[in-house]
Amino acid sequence: MESTDDEVAALLDELDRAELVRLVHGALDPEGTATGYLPGVERLDVPPLRFVDGPLGVRIPDRRATAFPAPLALAASFDPSLARSQGAAMGREAAAHGQDVLLGPGTNLIRVPHGGRNFEYFSEDPVHSAAFAAAVVEGVQSEDVLACVKHYVANNQETDRATVDVRVGEQPLRELYLPAFRAAVDAGAGAVMSGYNSVNGTPMSEHGRLLGDVLKGEWGFEGFVVSDWFGTTDSVRSANGGLDVEMPGVTGEELASLMGMDEGGPDVDFDELGGGMPDMRTAARFETELAADVEAGDVSADRLADMAGRVLSQMASVGRLDGERPDGALDTDEHRALAERVAVRGTVLLANDGVLPLDDEADVAVVGPNVDEALLGGGGSSEVTPFVSSTPVEGVTERAGGEVTVAHGVEPVADLSFFEETEPPADADSSVEDAAAAAADADVAVVFVRDRATEAMDRPDLRLPGRQDELVSAVADANDRTVVVVNSSGPVELPWREDVAAVVENWYPGQAHGDAAAAVLYGDSDPGGRLPVSFAAESAYPTTASERFPGEDGVVEYSEGCRVGYRHFEASDDGAVYPFGHGESYASFAYRGAEQVDASTVRATVANTAERPGREVVQAYVRPADDANGDAPVRDLAGFQSVHLDAGEAVTVEVTLANDAFRRYEDGWQEREGPFVVELARSAGDVRATVPFERP
Ligand code: BGC
């Protein structure tokens, strides 16, 4: 049998220039389902290649798919095996919809708490982000669908997203922003999407150093780089800078039909949608200019062949050049159960005075403006329309043994959907007073609150929108057994947290919202989630200065360097309210016998000392033994392991430590000087055992 390389080389010999160009820019999908479409070359049996959004499941206008929990919720599970499963399920659903490339995972580091797309990303920590990025890529591609990891790189905010120039030092770039992309590449990602932003003055779609030298050179990436949609500014500079495919590659009003926004749809303001994207209606540079660029010698013929060859090689890697296309699977029982399992496992118990788990027989007041709808995600290209969903009221009602009353309290929080005008979901005729009265009459009140977030816009602040804080306070005054379930895209301020009996962070849980929340509230499952982002007061973040966020005159300075997330809060007087890695369990755990195993492994025995099963997430942080860390962060997460323990059970947990935790980027990667200690911890703020650690 012909090797893939030979097969691709033979095709490249056959293809004429126009055909090569056709392989590297998008076109309209005649079936109208793909977010991005390469038409292929029929003459040589090269089939079309369909790209589809996105990280929470398959998004096709007017089609349905499983709405999985947002990646941030998935990451809160601290269990990459779940990410692999979710990736595989999303791959199967993409295939079932006739798609070949899934536009995900998104793996930008969470730098700014306001980030409109934080729910689409994994973490404020590079080791943690890397583990999830790699696992999702492996999962998707195990189904013979290509994963397109996005948005490379330092694409960390939505304000001015199309044009912002990120000024970032080499050290934070290498230590924080690049590692998850490198992990995705090491996991075999077939495609990488360049970000809209510039880095140190150069747009990412033409960044010769980061696309060419780093991604393709140092990391040996053999797949193709695709532009973000309309995210190019120059054909020659892109081709020569390392961009292989331009998307969507169509001009003008074709966009509207491509995105399902043509007649009959809402009035779309393209400038707003694009976050100020220049030329959004017209960009189709490779289609109109690339052949002439090659003709003129501005782009070499070899480079064009390399661009097309990369696409063909990836098609070959998933069998597409041999006419193979997986059947996939859609909305199966397994996918429904997985969507619920991930939502449960990502749920974080922030605080609990003992009110949780709820008593089966308790009379419950379910309170909140949006309790009649499942929170599927944020706005933008990640919006999925599910076949089924469970609302908070449905989830609690189904599970509760006692009486359930419902009160909305305040006006609903409207979605920020790109694609539909959203009507308020619930009639908000109940008042705060009615909600407080319902709470007073019940044994326990469960208040569901939410933020709202969307692509193309950052959150204006970290407060809950509308009058939700007022609602929680009133309910807490009326019933001292008040539990608050927070559904948010990232950190939110919780000003009433000392006044309530429990706080649960349930993120954007997807279609299984109500069932998953109820499973945790009633203790059918231990809350296995831990925070992948620090929760702090808005004023305590390192990005409070406007030159750091949202930037000044189109430039954002990453002058906090590596002090992002817990790396900032640990060194600051104004610490986190809930640190990175934090999350309570209904069980309790003891650590003993912590020791080094080898140059990259530690272990400890973890015992469940409670009379109920529980899930512990053992986190390993590295720091120098003598605390002389210079300017570097105090501690770096090096590994983690999520384990289920039956009542009274003890297991030995081994944690593999990432090499990156033992090196720094200063004029190239440098091994850090030991001796080290590895801290086994329940969060960045709760160390349970300390192990002296030698590197050979
Ligand atoms: C987003 C991408 C998305 C693409 C296609 C862009 O605006 O930034 O994440 O995959 O649109 O919908």
Side-chain angles (χ1 to χ4, degrees), residues 508-592:
Y508 290 175
Q511 66 181 39
H513 188 171
D515 291 338
V520 172
L521 291 170
Y522 284 90
D524 303 334
S525 301
D526 201 40
R530 303 293 184 264
L531 290 180
V533 279
S534 308
F535 274 42
E538 184 165 5
S539 57
Y541 283 88
T543 45
T544 310
S546 65
E547 73 266 19
R548 290 185 180 172
F549 174 73
E552 289 172 358
D553 302 325
V555 172
V556 179
E557 301 284 352
Y558 284 28
S559 49
E560 74 284 357
C562 292
R563 301 268 186 199
V564 172
Y566 66 89
R567 292 171 166 80
H568 162 79
F569 290 110
E570 292 188 334
S572 120
D573 296 336
D574 206 358
V577 173
Y578 297 114
F580 175 87
H582 171 74
E584 306 284 347
S585 162
Y586 296 145
S588 47
F589 305 96
Y591 286 60
R592 54 173 192 262

Side-chain angles (χ1 to χ4, degrees), residues 19 25 28 35 39 108 117 127 149 184 217 225 244 255 275 306 414 440 461 533 560 644 686:
E19 288 167 335
H25 70 80
L28 270 192
T35 313
N108 293 100
R117 302 187 82 167
V127 167
V149 57
V225 178
D244 301 303
L255 161 74
D306 175 48
D461 53 51
V533 279
E560 74 284 357
H644 173 89
D686 183 2

Side-chain angles (χ1 to χ4, degrees), residues 1 88 105 136 149 192-193 202 238 282 293 314 329-330 342 359 380 394 396 447 501 517 544 556 568 676:
M1 210 179 109
V136 171
V149 57
V192 170
M193 187 189 295
T202 304
S238 294
T282 55
D293 296 337
Q314 290 307 314
L330 189 61
V342 174
D359 184 348
E394 289 164 350
V396 174
V447 191
T544 310
V556 179
H568 162 79
F676 301 99

